Amino acid sequence: MNKGQLIKLAESGDRDAKYQLGNLAEDAGQIDEAKKWYHEAAAAGSPAAMNAIGLLAHTAGDLERARNWYEKAANNGYSMALNNLGTISEDPKEARKWFEAGVKAGNSLAMFNLGLILQESGEEKQSSDLFLASAKLGDSNAMAQLGLMAEEADNLQEARSWYLRAAELENSQAMYNLGLLEQNLGDIAEAKKLYERALEAGNLWPLNNLARIAEVEGDMIRAVSLYRDAAENGDATAMTNLGILEEESGNQSEAIKWYEQAAALD
């Protein structure tokens, strides 16, 4: 349905059309227009629009306003708002309460977030069950987490399978993790492809890995450039690697500078 058709529906009072127009405006960076449509949709009873207003407030740093709108959306049966209330909660007990409510409502992201909490507290079986339930609902973060858990248990085929499923959903962390796995197994060409895919998807952590590969391959100009990009992204390992290169080149003062920057991040 095109924008013109949506506007006609919205003008007739269709709350879903108003919400979709808000989405279109937000995607285009037209935040004021997005707010207008979301508020009209929310006034017409759209819980998705209420949650969207909360998200905009959350992004802008207005947490109290975000919480109010998330609560309105949650009270109107919008399960993602329950997850968002957990995300915004500063009290761990309160956050867990909201995530648990989201899980009961069938929200995959709440399952993932509660799984992380349980994993940190050592409840591995319960966390694994939640990650699996979330993954079955299509959550790529849960798939990537299951891949990491399988890899840590040395179940590399299972890890690869989960990473691939998440990567197919454009999960950049899964691409990066799979790249690390392939690099550790000696398939450098495949690792490079995966790192580059992750970079294209906006994940900057492969920069140091790509730099190291370039260094091993003898392409020092590319290696230094990538290490610098990684260092600017706050990667302490890249800073250390730059220090090593400078030290090997006899630039002791420059090496010390990079080592000190890396140490400050520890």
Side-chain angles (χ1 to χ4, degrees):
M1 188 177 297
N2 61 41
K3 186 174 180 179
Q5 292 171 315
L6 286 172
I7 290 175
K8 286 182 179 180
L9 282 172
E11 289 173 346
S12 72
D14 189 305
R15 74 182 194 184
D16 291 333
K18 293 176 181 181
Y19 171 66
Q20 289 180 52
L21 285 166
N23 278 337
L24 289 174
E26 186 177 358
D27 289 343
Q30 300 165 344
I31 302 303
D32 288 340
E33 183 179 354
K35 287 180 180 178
K36 177 182 81 72
W37 285 117
Y38 286 149
H39 276 282
E40 288 192 20
S46 169
M50 296 171 192
N51 184 70
I53 296 169
L55 284 169
L56 287 176
H58 195 165
T59 301
D62 190 344
L63 301 189
E64 190 58 37
R65 179 174 172 79
R67 185 177 291 106
N68 289 338
W69 280 103
Y70 288 153
E71 287 178 353
K72 289 179 182 179
N75 290 336
N76 281 275
Y78 200 73
S79 68
M80 183 57 78
L82 295 167
N83 174 76
N84 293 342
L85 283 164
T87 302
I88 209 172
S89 297
E90 297 178 356
D91 182 345
K93 290 182 179 179
E94 182 185 1
R96 180 165 177 164
K97 178 196 74 173
W98 287 118
F99 289 141
E100 287 173 344
V103 169
K104 290 179 181 177
N107 184 268
S108 64
L109 193 50
M111 294 173 190
F112 171 70
N113 284 324
L114 182 58
L116 290 177
I117 290 174
L118 294 177
Q119 187 178 46
E120 289 176 5
S121 63
E123 299 173 69
E124 291 291 333
K125 178 63 170 62
Q126 296 93 323
S127 65
S128 180
D129 288 345
L130 283 166
F131 292 143
L132 186 58
S134 180
K136 287 180 177 178
L137 291 173
D139 190 287
S140 66
N141 290 319
M143 295 174 192
Q145 189 67 23
L146 286 165
L148 183 61
M149 292 170 70
E151 186 176 356
E152 290 173 348
D154 209 29
N155 298 325
L156 301 188
Q157 286 303 114
E158 182 181 350
R160 181 183 280 111
S161 176
W162 281 117
Y163 288 150
L164 283 170
R165 286 179 62 181
E168 286 171 1
L169 295 173
E170 299 303 314
N171 186 294
S172 66
Q173 189 61 43
M175 297 171 194
Y176 174 61
N177 289 350
L178 184 55
L180 282 173
L181 178 60
E182 298 297 355
Q183 184 176 3
N184 290 335
L185 292 174
D187 192 343
I188 305 302
E190 185 62 22
K192 285 173 68 174
K193 289 179 185 177
L194 288 159
Y195 290 149
E196 286 164 1
R197 276 185 65 195
L199 274 177
E200 289 173 4
N203 189 327
L204 299 180
W205 288 112
L207 286 167
N208 181 72
N209 304 71
L210 285 167
R212 179 58 182 156
I213 290 171
E215 183 182 353
V216 171
E217 292 175 343
D219 188 348
M220 297 307 297
I221 293 176
R222 176 169 168 75
V224 170
S225 176
L226 288 167
Y227 279 141
R228 287 186 180 276
D229 288 344
E232 289 175 3
N233 186 49
D235 190 323
T237 302
M239 296 173 189
T240 299
N241 289 337
L242 282 168
I244 292 170
L245 291 179
E246 294 292 355
E247 188 173 5
E248 290 175 347
S249 299
N251 300 324
Q252 195 68 23
S253 61
E254 191 70 11
I256 291 172
K257 183 194 79 172
W258 286 116
Y259 291 148
E260 288 177 343
Q261 286 190 36
L265 294 176
D266 287 342

